[in-house]
């Protein structure tokens, strides 16, 4: 085993026997051969432990680690602790990577002496039509092609904080990243967001490789958070609180609040809309507490928010759950009355009684609803 590989690749593994071969094979095929591959079996109950041991026998660069199930965070932390490489990367065991990923990231990191060097990634979904299965991740305000071409810090390019966490698309200088840990909890999720925020707060030198290098698998049958509706979605609000604590600790909350709260809004709003109704009030309180700093902050400009997003954000900051719920129920009731119950000849009278605005259609000379005022 090489004493100090150029890159140590940590692979946390649990219950992914279907995808593990593709993942590990893509790491073994790297054009940068001077790497260490740490396969951390987190107490998998399928065939993953046997697969890990088979790979370890075939290639001396592979370190096989077996531990009792402790969750994603503990598996990643254990791998980072054992890593001997000059730089450290993370690959999730149901993803796979481009053959030149670590060569490109490592060369860039060495050339610029960075703490963090980050690449782009694909979203992969085999259930989509073939031409749409593997698309580069790009969203509004989340396009790494527009990041600086040279070395920067998060203070110089704060928009990076609004990006998808994707901690597995980066490499980190070992002496830098060994000073922090992923949150450990067997039941937790989304630990990558606090890890990313802390890393960016601490990093003095960051660079971007503007190429997609990871195939991030997000498809049906994987227990994806995009398909969940249960209480686990609320963990996102808890992880965002951890992020806020990091920002406060490193004295960056004020300078990065526009980007952080935009990211936190995007992450939680989608989950809040999906979560089962029985969990909504509890989740609402968590989000409201997360955003309470903004209630009297006249300097917060909603820099990245659309008008609809700003409206939703103000609901979390200033809204009352039960008042908004009553408004929603009343709105739906009125629509139901208008569409189903009311006879056409009595519609105008009832609409006026309910407080709805009525106007004359110039062409048909009949009443029509412009909007519903609550």
């Amino acid at each position: 085993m090489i004493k100090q590989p150029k890159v140590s690749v940590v692979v946390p593994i649990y219950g992914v026997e279907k995808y593990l071969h593709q993942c590990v094979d893509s790491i073994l095929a790297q054009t940068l051969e001077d790497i260490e591959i740490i396969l951390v079996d987190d107490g998998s109950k399928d065939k993953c432990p046997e697969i890990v041991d088979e790979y370890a026998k075939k290639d001396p660069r592979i370190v096989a680690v077996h531990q009792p199930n402790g969750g994603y965070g503990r598996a990643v932390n254990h791998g980072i602790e054992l890593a001997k490489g000059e730089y450290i990367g993370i690959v999730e065991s149901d993803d796979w990577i481009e053959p030149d990923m670590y060569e490109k990231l490592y060369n860039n990191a060495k050339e610029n002496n960075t703490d963090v060097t980050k690449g782009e990634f694909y979203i992969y979904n085999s259930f989509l039509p073939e031409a749409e299965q593997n698309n580069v991740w790009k969203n509004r305000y989340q396009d790494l092609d527009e990041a600086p071409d040279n070395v920067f810090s998060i203070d110089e390019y704060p928009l990076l904080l609004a990006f998808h966490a994707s901690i597995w698309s980066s490499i980190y200088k070992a002496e830098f990243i060994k000073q922090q840990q992923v949150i450990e909890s067997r039941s937790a999720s989304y630990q990558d967001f606090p890890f990313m925020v802390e890393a960016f707060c601490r990093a003095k030198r960051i660079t971007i490789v503007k190429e997609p290098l990871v195939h991030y698998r997000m498809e049906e049958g994987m227990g994806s958070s995009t398909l969940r509706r249960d209480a686990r979605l609320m963990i996102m609000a808890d992880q965002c609180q951890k992020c806020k604590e990091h920002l406060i600790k490193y004295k960056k909350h004020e300078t990065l609040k526009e980007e952080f709260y935009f990211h936190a809004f995007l992450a939680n709003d989608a989950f809040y809309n999906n979560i089962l109704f029985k969990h909504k009030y509890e989740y609402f309180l968590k989000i409201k507490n997360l955003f309470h700093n903004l209630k009297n902050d006249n300097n917060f400009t909603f820099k990245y928010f659309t008008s609809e997003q700003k409206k939703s954000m103000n609901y979390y900051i200033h809204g009352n759950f039960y008042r908004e719920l009553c408004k929603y129920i009343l709105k739906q009731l009125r629509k139901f009355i208008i569409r189903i119950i009311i006879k056409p000849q009595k519609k105008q009278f009832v609409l006026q009684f309910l407080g709805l605005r009525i106007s004359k259609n110039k062409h048909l000379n009949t009443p029509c609803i412009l909007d519903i005022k609550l």
Side-chain angles (χ1 to χ4, degrees):
M1 188 66 203
I2 300 169
K3 287 187 178 180
Q4 186 172 35
K6 291 178 178 177
V7 177
S8 291
V9 184
V10 176
V11 186
I13 299 166
Y14 184 81
V16 289
E17 63 175 281
K18 179 179 178 181
Y19 308 113
L20 188 55
H21 283 290
Q22 184 181 25
C23 174
V24 179
D25 288 345
S26 72
I27 303 172
L28 290 172
Q30 290 296 292
T31 54
L32 181 68
E33 297 181 352
D34 186 3
I35 61 176
E36 173 188 43
I37 306 167
I38 303 174
L39 304 181
V40 185
D41 162 41
D42 188 40
S44 294
K45 297 179 181 179
D46 57 6
K47 294 181 179 179
C48 285
E50 291 89 339
I51 296 172
V52 167
D53 289 337
E54 288 172 7
Y55 274 111
K57 292 175 183 177
K58 295 177 181 178
D59 196 309
R61 297 176 298 172
I62 292 179
V63 178
V65 180
H66 301 281
Q67 65 180 36
N69 180 251
Y72 175 85
R74 184 168 297 178
V76 172
N77 291 337
H78 193 181
I80 290 175
E81 180 184 354
L82 296 173
K84 298 183 178 69
E86 183 182 357
Y87 282 81
I88 297 174
I90 301 164
V91 176
E92 297 200 343
S93 51
D94 49 6
D95 300 338
W96 77 97
I97 62 177
E98 288 291 299
D100 55 359
M101 172 173 171
Y102 286 115
E103 181 178 11
K104 288 181 175 177
L105 291 178
Y106 178 78
N107 288 343
N108 183 291
K110 286 295 289 183
E111 179 183 349
N112 294 289
N113 187 28
T114 61
D115 299 311
V116 181
T117 292
K118 186 176 185 65
E120 299 183 58
F121 62 95
Y122 297 99
I123 293 288
Y124 177 76
N125 186 343
S126 64
F127 291 85
L128 294 175
E130 186 173 353
E132 303 172 18
Q133 288 179 0
N134 217 20
N135 292 320
V136 180
W137 173 272
K138 290 183 189 298
N139 279 328
R140 182 171 176 267
Y141 297 125
Q142 297 188 34
D143 186 352
L144 280 178
D145 288 341
E146 298 179 3
D149 293 320
N150 50 7
V151 178
F152 62 91
S153 68
I154 196 65
D155 294 318
E156 295 167 314
Y157 186 61
L159 186 56
L160 188 60
L161 202 70
F163 279 57
H164 190 292
S166 56
I167 63 173
W168 28 260
S169 66
S170 306
I171 61 171
Y172 312 86
K173 187 178 288 185
E175 61 190 43
F176 166 81
I177 208 61
K178 282 178 178 280
Q179 296 178 34
Q180 68 177 73
Q181 288 192 326
V182 181
I183 296 171
E184 293 188 4
S185 174
R186 286 203 307 180
S187 60
S189 303
Y190 324 118
Q191 303 100 311
D192 49 353
F193 188 22
F195 185 86
M196 178 202 78
V197 170
E198 183 174 14
F200 286 155
C201 284
R202 295 178 54 242
K204 296 179 180 179
R205 300 179 66 82
I206 303 170
T207 51
I208 303 295
V209 173
K210 297 181 179 181
E211 295 181 46
L213 301 171
V214 180
H215 299 263
Y216 173 51
R217 192 186 302 271
M218 190 170 68
E219 55 189 5
E220 295 176 32
M222 294 181 59
S224 170
S225 59
T226 58
L227 304 176
R228 289 177 185 165
R229 300 194 67 205
D230 59 44
R232 287 177 294 175
L233 294 178
M234 290 189 286
I235 298 172
M236 178 59 80
D238 300 328
Q239 301 294 17
C240 288
Q241 285 286 1
K242 295 290 184 182
C243 294
K244 187 162 74 170
E245 291 171 13
H246 289 320
L247 292 173
I248 294 170
K249 175 182 177 181
Y250 294 103
K251 296 179 172 57
K252 294 185 182 294
H253 179 267
E254 187 63 25
T255 57
L256 300 177
K257 64 185 179 183
E258 297 281 354
E259 293 73 24
F260 166 67
Y261 286 115
F262 181 61
H263 188 146
F265 167 80
L266 293 178
N268 285 282
D269 187 56
F271 285 3
Y272 178 76
N273 290 331
N274 286 344
I275 202 166
L276 292 170
F277 181 77
K278 64 181 180 179
H279 303 302
K280 274 195 182 293
Y281 181 61
E282 183 181 357
Y283 198 4
F284 172 80
L285 293 180
K286 283 178 176 286
I287 300 175
K288 191 174 183 68
N289 183 55
L290 174 65
F291 296 146
H292 82 276
N293 303 62
L294 304 179
K295 189 170 185 179
N296 299 308
D297 188 347
N298 296 324
N299 295 319
F300 188 76
T301 65
F302 298 90
K303 182 176 180 180
Y304 305 104
F305 289 74
T306 65
S307 58
E308 283 300 312
Q309 289 171 337
K310 182 177 178 180
K311 182 178 178 181
S312 296
M313 184 65 161
N314 276 318
Y315 163 62
Y316 297 125
I317 298 172
H318 303 289
N320 178 289
F321 177 84
Y322 289 109
R323 183 175 66 232
E324 298 301 324
L325 177 61
C326 289
K327 285 183 178 181
Y328 174 80
I329 294 173
L330 180 58
K331 183 175 180 179
Q332 299 306 312
L333 179 60
R334 286 173 171 174
K335 286 182 177 180
F336 176 77
I337 294 173
I338 292 166
R339 293 174 182 173
I340 307 298
I341 300 176
I342 303 173
K343 294 181 180 180
Q345 61 269 28
K346 296 183 179 180
K347 181 178 288 188
Q348 183 171 357
F349 171 77
V350 177
L351 291 176
Q352 291 173 336
F353 178 77
L354 291 174
L356 303 177
R357 283 171 50 194
I358 306 300
S359 178
K360 290 284 186 178
N361 185 303
K362 295 180 180 179
H363 301 287
L364 300 177
N365 196 32
T366 56
C368 66
I369 303 171
L370 294 183
D371 63 0
I372 296 179
K373 298 181 68 177
L374 293 173

